């Protein structure tokens, strides 16, 4: 079983083309992206659990029932959320315009949007842009497509893997966007994944749900779960070979690779949190259950007090312990250990003497690890967040203007 990193993003998988284009939804930069497979794909998706959901999610859910997908069209700069019946009409028109340009069925097109809420889509620009972006589709278009889905992101986010086991081999690639409004209850961001693996449909959904649970659902930037978020995976089977199902080496490899790819993209999102200067990895060990371990990780990751302390390079372990204590997980403070990097700062119910200068050096790094050992069981979980800085407030205080 082998997994290696390759380039190409969503175009790393055989048979996929992509492109990005500036349609004018945003003042500058690409704001419209398209992924296309001439070969029909099996598809799976997960969606935000926010009860307020944008129009594109309803259209995409409906089209997924078709069982065959060939394209994903995405605009940035406008969420097409909370626009009433017109929002649904516009999302449907995005799919229809894409279908006409590609000469496929509208039901084979998935739709996504990201950006400001409550502003109608500029459909003249969107439709003209879709017609233009279809003409730019290319097997090397992954990077442009990744740029086209950015909002407050400071950099595009893409990754790809080549995988092999025995005589079976396939590629899997992806792109994501996300910088603010990140606290997944599914996945608070957008991510689009392509693979040429011949994956059985039910297993594709199972594998995606598991991968999302261990990756995108374990990141937090600001505690806000968005209205537009989805993760979509398309599998066109171009790599040939036996159908990959749950169980067996090929199924194990696909699950491992999909989770690894999603984790790579999730870490990029956390690292690029609005105004962030550090990526923070939070690990919980020794929990009675995986659910408890996840509660502890997510509680610490979402704590503004923990995140501001990391920004200030202040080894205030009390904030970490406090967040673990109110997480809802089973916890006995007399059995908890807390570490910053490898530095043990709390154990057996009390703080330990430590070198403040050493702790500050640990917190100065661009990547900081917090570890909490509950000392109760064998379960563990890992998640990612970022520090909370003055720039986060500046960015979000004037998001619409």
């Amino acid at each position: 079983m082998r997994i290696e990193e390759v380039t190409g993003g969503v175009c790393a998988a055989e048979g996929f083309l992509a492109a990005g284009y500036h349609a004018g939804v945003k003042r500058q930069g690409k704001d419209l992206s398209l992924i296309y497979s001439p070969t029909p794909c099996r598809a799976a998706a997960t969606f935000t659990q926010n009860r307020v959901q944008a129009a594109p999610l309803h259209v995409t859910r409906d089209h997924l029932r078709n069982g065959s997908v060939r394209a994903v069209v995405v605009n940035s700069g406008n969420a097409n959320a909370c626009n009433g019946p017109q929002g649904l009409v516009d999302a449907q028109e995005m799919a229809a315009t894409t279908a006409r340009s590609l000469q496929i069925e509208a039901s084979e097109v998935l739709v996504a949007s990201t950006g400001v809420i409550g502003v109608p889509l500029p459909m003249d620009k969107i439709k003209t842009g879709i017609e233009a972006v279809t003409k730019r589709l290319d097997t090397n278009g992954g990077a442009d497509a990744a740029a086209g889905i950015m909002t407050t992101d400071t950099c595009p986010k893409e990754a790809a893997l080549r995988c092999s086991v025995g005589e079976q081999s396939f590629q899997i690639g992806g792109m994501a966007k996300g910088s603010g409004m990140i606290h997944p209850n599914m996945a608070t961001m957008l991510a689009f994944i392509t693979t040429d693996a011949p994956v059985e449909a039910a297993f594709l959904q199972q594998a995606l749900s598991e991968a999302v649970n261990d990756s995108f659902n374990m990141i937090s930037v600001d505690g806000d779960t968005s209205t537009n978020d989805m993760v979509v995976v398309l599998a066109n089977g171009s790599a040939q070979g036996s159908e990959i199902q749950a169980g067996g080496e090929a199924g194990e490899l696909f699950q491992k690779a999909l989770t690894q790819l999603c984790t790579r993209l999730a870490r990029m999102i956390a690292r690029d949190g609005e105004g962030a200067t550090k990526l923070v990895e939070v690990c919980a060990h020794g929990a009675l259950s995986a659910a408890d371990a996840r509660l502890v990780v997510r509680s610490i990751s979402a704590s503004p007090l923990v995140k501001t302390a990391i920004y200030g390079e202040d080894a205030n372990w009390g904030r970490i312990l406090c967040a673990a204590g109110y997480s809802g997980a089973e916890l006995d403070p007399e059995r908890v250990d807390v570490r910053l990097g490898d530095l043990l700062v709390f154990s057996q119910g009390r703080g330990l003497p430590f070198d403040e200068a050493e702790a500050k050096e640990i917190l100065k790094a661009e990547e900081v690890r917090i570890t909490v050992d509950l000392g109760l069981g064998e379960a563990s979980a890992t998640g990612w967040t970022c520090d909370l800085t003055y720039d986060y407030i500046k960015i979000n205080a004037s998001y619409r203007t």
Side-chain angles (χ1 to χ4, degrees):
M1 190 178 294
R2 183 177 181 182
I3 300 176
E4 58 181 330
E5 295 182 12
V6 294
T7 59
V10 292
C11 291
E14 183 180 345
F16 284 93
L17 301 90
Y21 180 73
H22 175 64
V25 182
K26 297 191 301 191
R27 294 186 183 94
Q28 58 185 7
K30 293 180 174 64
D31 52 22
L32 189 67
S33 297
L34 181 64
I35 303 169
Y36 173 61
S37 170
T39 303
C41 302
R42 291 170 175 170
T46 58
F47 300 92
T48 183
Q49 292 181 24
N50 193 320
R51 294 292 292 273
V52 180
Q53 298 192 357
L57 275 70
H58 297 290
V59 172
T60 290
R61 276 199 182 94
D62 184 48
H63 289 188
L64 282 167
R65 296 188 185 98
N66 179 52
S68 175
V69 174
R70 295 171 70 178
V72 182
V73 62
V74 190
N75 76 273
S76 59
N78 185 311
N80 191 15
C82 304
N83 286 325
Q86 189 60 47
L88 189 61
V89 170
D90 290 344
Q92 291 168 335
E93 183 56 34
M94 283 181 67
T97 302
T98 303
R100 286 193 296 269
S101 296
L102 294 173
Q103 297 184 337
I104 61 177
E105 297 297 320
S107 60
E108 295 181 293
V109 181
L110 306 184
V111 183
S113 299
T114 181
V116 67
I117 292 170
V119 177
L121 279 175
M123 286 307 294
D124 288 346
K125 293 178 180 179
I126 292 284
K127 291 167 71 173
T128 300
I130 288 172
E131 292 167 0
V133 78
T134 55
K135 298 174 183 177
R136 289 166 168 76
L137 285 168
D138 192 271
T139 55
N140 296 312
D144 281 347
I149 64 175
M150 294 166 54
T151 50
T152 57
D153 306 62
T154 65
C155 60
K157 301 165 180 69
E158 58 176 346
L161 302 170
R162 179 179 292 119
C163 314
S164 60
V165 58
E167 296 183 357
Q168 188 122 26
S169 63
F170 58 86
Q171 281 72 235
I172 181 169
M175 66 183 192
K177 67 81 52 182
S179 187
M181 201 176 277
I182 305 291
H183 187 71
N185 191 9
M186 180 302 294
T188 303
M189 20 56 59
L190 298 179
F192 306 99
I193 299 164
T194 60
T195 181
D196 50 26
V199 189
E200 188 263 334
F203 177 54
L204 187 64
Q205 182 64 62
Q206 174 188 324
L208 179 65
S209 297
E210 185 173 324
V212 164
N213 209 36
D214 291 337
S215 57
F216 297 119
N217 271 357
M218 295 304 292
I219 59 175
S220 182
V221 168
D222 49 22
D224 278 305
T225 298
S226 179
T227 59
N228 284 61
D229 309 321
M230 67 175 75
V231 179
V232 173
V233 58
L234 306 181
N236 66 9
S238 294
Q240 303 297 317
S242 302
E243 185 176 66
I244 299 176
Q245 301 176 344
E249 285 190 319
E252 180 184 347
L253 174 64
F254 183 78
Q255 181 69 76
K256 183 177 180 180
L258 183 58
T259 302
Q260 183 173 319
L261 182 82
C262 289
T263 300
R264 285 286 307 279
L265 295 172
R267 284 173 58 94
M268 290 178 194
I269 290 171
R271 178 63 184 87
D272 194 33
E274 289 173 340
T277 67
K278 307 174 194 297
L279 173 68
V280 184
E281 182 173 86
V282 182
C283 306
H285 302 301
L288 286 177
S289 67
D292 272 4
R294 292 168 65 86
L295 282 172
V296 169
V297 168
R298 292 187 60 135
S299 184
I300 294 169
S301 298
S303 167
L305 291 178
V306 172
K307 290 154 64 67
T308 50
I310 298 297
Y311 172 64
E313 298 164 5
D314 178 13
N316 192 342
W317 55 261
R319 295 179 175 182
I320 298 168
L321 185 65
C322 179
Y326 64 64
S327 67
E330 188 68 31
L331 182 148
D332 178 356
E334 300 296 323
R335 302 181 70 169
V336 174
D337 287 349
V338 177
R339 286 180 169 82
L340 300 175
D342 294 326
L343 182 65
L344 184 65
V345 294
F346 177 89
S347 184
Q348 299 181 349
R350 67 189 64 187
L352 302 179
F354 60 88
D355 187 332
E356 291 282 357
E358 180 183 357
K360 191 172 183 66
E361 283 301 312
I362 290 170
L363 298 178
K364 270 186 177 180
E366 291 187 2
E367 295 192 13
V368 175
R369 187 178 72 256
I370 295 171
T371 305
V372 176
D373 191 329
L374 302 180
L376 297 176
E378 301 297 324
S380 63
T382 301
W384 301 271
T385 186
C386 59
D387 55 344
L388 183 59
T389 73
Y390 303 112
D391 284 342
Y392 176 85
I393 297 171
K394 292 178 184 176
I395 291 166
N396 284 284
S398 58
Y399 187 81
R400 291 176 68 248
T401 55

